[in-house]
Amino acid sequence: DGLNSTKVELIQRVRELTAENENYSRMNSELNTTATRLAQQVNFFEVALTKLVLENGALSNLTEALDSLTTEFGALTEEQNKTLFGLFDVLNGLTSENERLESLNDNLVKVVGFLNETSIGLDNSLQQVTDFLADQITANQVLVLASLENTYRQKVQTWDCDYRDHFVEESFGTDFNVLISNVSQVVDYVDERVLSEICLE
């Protein structure tokens, strides 16, 4: 009964370890999905940042051109001065928009940096989880094999005691020098109680 109980406990432990392994595999898959999604978001922000940089360059060129026009219009007539004031308003509006885009550009750079750091940390976490699972599985396999080996050793080393108890009413069961009268019965007993349980059929 003790051996059967140990066998049931071992089977239960193996099932529990299998369930834990499946759970860790699912967690690992979810973490990989999250890492992929973050990488896609990083790519999106990098593309947006590139576009903003190009727009910022175009606006800078336009601002320089308007500054040049302002200098040339310095000695124009009153009517032209009105036009000049209008151009100043346009220049001020473009300057404000340029500053807004620069601020947005800086914010996007910070976001991309944060996402990059997050992705790197996530990769490290995935590696740590994988290493931990590998160590746990290896350790559990060693424990299960050691326990199974001890069970088999105990079964082999103590089978003769059970033999004497089983054939106590037979003369050959108490005296090993007596010829066994029913060899097939003894062989069947040994096969059932010892050999089959340790896979030595």
Side-chain angles (χ1 to χ4, degrees):
D1 292 338
L3 293 176
N4 289 333
S5 176
T6 301
K7 181 178 180 181
V8 170
E9 291 176 357
L10 285 174
I11 293 174
Q12 181 63 27
R13 181 56 180 163
V14 169
R15 289 176 179 172
E16 291 174 355
L17 290 173
T18 301
E20 291 177 1
N21 190 26
E22 291 174 352
N23 185 43
Y24 285 134
S25 296
R26 179 182 58 79
M27 292 172 59
N28 192 21
S29 177
E30 291 175 355
L31 288 172
N32 282 329
T33 301
T34 302
T36 301
R37 186 169 60 252
L38 285 173
Q40 292 173 348
Q41 293 176 354
V42 168
N43 291 334
F44 169 79
F45 282 113
E46 286 178 345
V47 172
L49 178 61
T50 300
K51 292 180 179 179
L52 286 174
V53 170
L54 293 175
E55 291 179 1
N56 187 32
L59 287 175
S60 296
N61 293 335
L62 180 58
T63 300
E64 292 175 359
L66 289 174
D67 286 336
S68 178
L69 287 175
T70 300
T71 302
E72 293 176 4
F73 289 154
L76 298 178
T77 60
E78 181 178 354
E79 187 66 24
Q80 291 172 326
N81 282 335
K82 293 180 181 180
T83 303
L84 180 61
F85 290 142
L87 289 173
F88 272 123
D89 291 338
V90 173
L91 177 60
N92 290 332
L94 290 173
T95 300
S96 298
E97 182 65 13
N98 186 33
E99 292 173 353
R100 187 185 71 82
L101 289 174
E102 287 179 350
S103 176
L104 179 59
N105 183 19
D106 293 338
N107 291 334
L108 284 174
V109 170
K110 294 178 181 178
V111 169
V112 170
F114 169 77
L115 289 176
N116 283 333
E117 293 176 358
T118 303
S119 298
I120 293 173
L122 183 58
D123 289 339
N124 292 336
S125 298
L126 287 174
Q127 186 60 46
Q128 291 172 359
V129 170
T130 302
D131 293 341
F132 173 77
L133 287 176
D135 292 340
Q136 285 292 102
I137 291 172
T138 301
N140 286 325
Q141 287 176 341
V142 171
L143 290 176
V144 169
L145 290 175
S147 178
L148 190 60
E149 181 181 357
N150 289 333
T151 299
Y152 286 167
R153 287 183 182 277
Q154 182 181 9
K155 191 68 177 177
V156 171
Q157 291 172 357
T158 61
W159 77 273
D160 55 338
C161 295
D162 295 335
Y163 169 85
R164 286 193 297 268
D165 293 340
H166 185 77
F167 294 103
V168 66
E169 296 181 359
E170 304 288 345
S171 59
F172 61 81
T174 57
D175 186 355
F176 292 162
N177 294 320
V178 176
L179 183 66
I180 297 175
S181 59
N182 192 339
V183 175
S184 61
Q185 183 182 5
V186 173
V187 170
D188 291 340
Y189 171 80
V190 173
D191 179 64
E192 178 184 355
R193 297 300 300 272
V194 181
L195 300 181
S196 62
E197 291 192 19
I198 61 176
C199 302
L200 292 178
E201 298 180 353

